[in-house]
Amino acid sequence: MQIRVLRLLAPLVVVAALVTAAACSSPTDLGKSGHVGMYQLNVQPCVDTAAPRPGWVNCQAIVYLSINTTVQSGYVSAYLEYPETGAYYTGEKSVSSSVPGNISIVMTNPYVSKCVTSYPTAVRVYDGRVGDQTAKELGSISVNVKSIC
């Protein structure tokens, strides 16, 4: 899977487009691991500048998952690592009645200082809230991000 990120320098906006597989009636599988399948990942445009610092704040991505197990905690959390020390897109969703099944999770990266041209990473999915060190990993799905800066 390839993600393309374009950065327009004048307005300091990152526009992201995913070569994604989306279907109307049945999702296309982009990867499976453990109890999780991922059928879409959309990295949203970063539009809020971090001025006077370089970069952007509150960048978002949405991951669409299929969970095939019961979630004990009532929450599913997702992490997408960005290649800067400690930089992650993170998000969680309350899933008391929707799992097993398909869900979407909005993930936010609070600060992105630079555009990275290419990096392998993974969407890691947990049974538990963001920051819960005891949360059980449900799966980890590899993705390859390609960007033009």
Side-chain angles (χ1 to χ4, degrees):
M1 178 175 63
Q2 300 262 330
I3 299 173
R4 295 207 179 271
V5 179
L6 306 174
R7 182 167 144 204
L8 305 175
L9 296 176
L12 292 175
V13 174
V14 173
V15 179
L18 169 67
V19 179
T20 182
C24 296
S25 57
S26 62
T28 301
D29 187 14
L30 296 180
K32 288 183 181 175
S33 173
H35 296 286
V36 179
M38 180 173 64
Y39 58 92
Q40 189 172 351
L41 173 65
N42 293 329
V43 177
Q44 304 294 315
C46 289
V47 295
D48 297 331
T49 67
R53 299 183 304 170
W56 304 268
V57 294
N58 301 321
C59 299
Q60 291 191 334
I62 304 170
V63 63
Y64 298 85
L65 303 167
S66 176
I67 310 291
N68 67 10
T69 189
T70 303
V71 174
Q72 300 300 318
S73 70
Y75 287 87
V76 173
S77 58
Y79 296 76
L80 174 68
E81 185 175 1
Y82 191 77
E84 292 184 273
T85 303
Y88 288 88
Y89 286 85
T90 63
E92 67 184 28
K93 183 164 193 146
S94 174
V95 294
S96 57
S97 62
S98 59
V99 170
N102 296 337
I103 63 169
S104 63
I105 299 176
V106 176
M107 300 180 292
T108 301
N109 189 336
Y111 178 62
V112 172
S113 69
K114 62 185 175 189
C115 181
V116 179
T117 58
S118 177
Y119 61 96
T121 188
V123 174
R124 290 179 174 80
V125 182
Y126 294 88
D127 178 346
R129 300 193 79 163
V130 169
D132 179 355
Q133 299 299 314
T134 63
K136 176 185 171 193
E137 185 174 290
L138 297 174
S140 178
I141 301 158
S142 296
V143 293
N144 187 33
V145 176
K146 299 274 187 192
S147 60
I148 300 169
C149 298

